[in-house]
Amino acid sequence: MVLKKDKTVSSIVVSLVLGLTPGAFAQGIPSLKDTFQKDFGIGTALNPAQFEERDPKTTEFIVRQFNMATPENVMKSALLHPTWDTYTFEMADKLVEFGRKHNLKINGHTLIWHSQLPGFIRGIRSADSIRTFFTDHIKTVAGRYRGKVFSWDVVNEALNEDGTMRKTVFLQHLGEDYVTEAFRLAQEASPNTELYYNDYNNEKPAKRAGCLALIKKIQEAKVRIDGVGIQGHWHVGKVPLKDIEESILQYAALGLKVMITELDIEVLPRNFQGADVSQRMANNAESNPYPDGLPDAVQQQLAADYEALFKLFLKHKDKVTRVTFWGVNDGNSWLNNWPIRGRTNYPLLFDRNNQPKPAFYKVIALKQ
């Protein structure tokens, strides 16, 4: 059996299979945010078409399913700060207004990241100029959205896989204390906003150790850090549940909130792990195996993986404060175009028509 990408098993049939009563669907598809309202926030990543409300049905769907949102790109410095003395806030402002209008808490993403930097950074050679950019960017952006965003990913992906500091332009010119300084500046610019460190693979032991050391360094400097984001870019059938649980426990032991910030489960072949956007793969016939639909065996494994993950999140709901999916539906996922452009991927709970997949019902059934 193959489930076509533009079709889905009917809600009633799936509900009966999973033991959900037909009455649960009286108001249509169940709501993720309502189902987990007493446990943790449910977020999604939004693109301009979505927060500009170009399609009313999509807006209605987003508002029904999610109560938190993170911008995919519009708050990254390449788009927000394109030239040395120019900021372009129009799209970020629209995102923030979308959140205000529809009661979605906005997580700002991200103040400092080595990737998607403005082009002029490549021409800078002096540490003083990098520090000026670094300081002004944080103060200007965090200050503008003071009281308007719930939280910030202050620094994104500062670590290598072995837990050492990634060799970025900020490390090169500002030294290892740049992460602590970023949090200090963000705290000053937006004192009532929650401040997070965000990374991928920081549930793995070596990178986790580096992340814990980084957090302790910030705390020892008496600078506020409120939480840590585990991105959650995992692969079907290989979700590292033990490492995730141990990471939740160890991060929480430092007094931090824990978020799953960019959740998706890759179902296509990949010859590396993680989410380093600079990595690429060759495009060949084997790289896009499911252009017309996902085989039932893979669909069921995806559902089982999501069920196991949410069981774990519910077990630690006193520590996990948010679960954000990196995309509203399969068609929006960045994994369709990375690390190979034009693939057909199926990593989320909703198909390309915003219809729930078996994984969605497995997750919902945990609360029935």
Side-chain angles (χ1 to χ4, degrees):
M1 174 184 176
V2 173
L3 298 180
K4 297 298 183 180
K5 65 183 180 183
D6 293 325
K7 299 179 181 178
T8 189
V9 180
S10 73
S11 297
I12 299 300
V13 170
V14 175
S15 69
L16 293 174
V17 170
L18 296 176
L20 302 178
T21 63
F25 299 91
Q27 302 301 317
I29 299 170
S31 165
L32 285 169
K33 71 174 186 180
D34 292 346
T35 299
F36 295 99
Q37 62 180 333
K38 295 182 179 179
D39 306 306
F40 34 71
I42 298 290
T44 188
L46 294 180
N47 62 42
Q50 292 161 341
F51 61 74
E52 286 189 317
E53 303 192 50
R54 299 176 195 173
D55 177 18
K57 289 184 178 180
T58 297
T59 301
E60 181 182 5
F61 178 80
I62 291 168
V63 172
R64 174 166 172 73
Q65 292 296 332
F66 307 103
N67 51 24
M68 295 185 172
T70 300
E72 278 188 332
N73 289 299
V74 299
M75 286 185 169
K76 292 171 182 173
S77 61
L79 297 178
L80 205 61
H81 191 173
T83 66
W84 181 262
D85 57 357
T86 302
Y87 288 86
T88 54
F89 290 116
E90 179 183 3
M91 298 307 290
D93 286 352
K94 287 182 178 181
L95 168 76
V96 170
E97 173 57 22
F98 180 87
R100 186 203 64 77
K101 178 180 177 182
H102 296 292
N103 198 30
L104 278 76
K105 292 181 177 179
I106 300 298
N107 173 61
H109 178 78
T110 172
L111 290 172
I112 295 298
W113 187 31
H114 65 276
S115 188
Q116 289 184 247
L117 287 167
F120 68 83
I121 291 293
R122 290 192 294 272
I124 295 178
R125 296 291 182 266
S126 77
D128 286 345
S129 294
I130 291 294
R131 185 172 296 280
T132 297
F133 164 80
F134 177 89
T135 302
D136 289 352
H137 183 83
I138 295 173
K139 287 184 174 181
T140 300
V141 176
R144 182 179 183 87
Y145 297 109
R146 177 176 178 170
K148 297 180 180 179
V149 301
F150 173 74
S151 56
W152 271 108
D153 293 329
V154 177
V155 178
N156 195 49
E157 301 174 4
L159 297 170
N160 294 312
E161 295 305 289
D162 63 359
T164 59
M165 295 292 289
R166 185 192 291 266
K167 292 181 180 179
T168 69
V169 64
F170 303 113
L171 181 69
Q172 177 185 351
H173 290 288
L174 306 181
E176 291 193 356
D177 290 335
Y178 85 84
V179 176
T180 300
E181 183 62 16
F183 277 85
R184 191 193 314 276
L185 290 166
Q187 177 181 333
E188 292 171 357
S190 193
N192 296 316
T193 304
E194 293 195 1
L195 307 178
Y196 308 146
Y197 175 74
N198 190 56
D199 215 327
Y200 62 84
N201 286 352
N202 55 339
E203 75 281 354
K204 292 185 176 181
K207 197 166 188 177
R208 180 205 307 150
C211 193
L212 290 165
L214 187 63
I215 291 162
K216 290 175 183 177
K217 188 174 184 179
I218 296 168
Q219 292 176 327
E220 289 166 359
K222 307 300 181 183
V223 173
R224 178 166 60 87
I225 176 172
D226 299 298
V228 61
I230 300 171
Q231 289 185 14
H233 296 297
W234 294 308
H235 201 282
V236 68
K238 300 177 182 179
V239 178
L241 294 169
K242 290 183 179 179
D243 286 343
I244 296 166
E245 181 167 31
E246 185 60 31
S247 298
I248 291 170
L249 294 171
Q250 291 195 29
Y251 291 135
L254 294 182
L256 297 183
K257 298 178 179 180
V258 180
M259 287 74 60
I260 308 301
T261 56
E262 304 181 16
L263 179 58
D264 48 34
I265 299 180
E266 170 79 87
V267 300
L268 301 184
R270 182 129 59 90
N271 57 16
F272 62 91
Q273 293 182 321
D276 186 341
V277 296
S278 67
Q279 292 185 278
R280 295 289 186 272
M281 281 174 52
N283 193 353
N284 53 46
E286 290 75 32
S287 68
N288 191 34
Y290 315 128
D292 300 316
L294 197 60
D296 186 61
V298 183
Q299 190 82 267
Q300 297 309 318
Q301 181 63 61
L302 182 68
D305 287 346
Y306 269 115
E307 180 183 32
L309 271 173
F310 271 77
K311 280 183 180 178
L312 180 59
F313 301 155
L314 286 169
K315 178 181 178 181
H316 296 292
K317 63 183 182 180
D318 59 326
K319 305 172 186 69
V320 176
T321 59
R322 168 167 60 96
V323 178
T324 292
F325 296 88
W326 206 241
V328 171
N329 67 33
D330 285 343
N332 304 136
S333 174
W334 72 305
L335 292 172
N336 292 301
N337 291 307
W338 179 88
I340 300 170
R341 292 195 64 81
R343 295 205 295 182
T344 307
N345 220 317
Y346 308 81
L348 299 169
L349 297 187
F350 298 100
D351 71 13
R352 284 162 167 76
N353 291 320
N354 288 333
Q355 294 301 304
K357 295 156 60 177
F360 171 87
Y361 292 108
K362 285 286 190 181
V363 167
I364 291 290
L366 295 172
K367 293 291 291 183
Q368 300 301 313

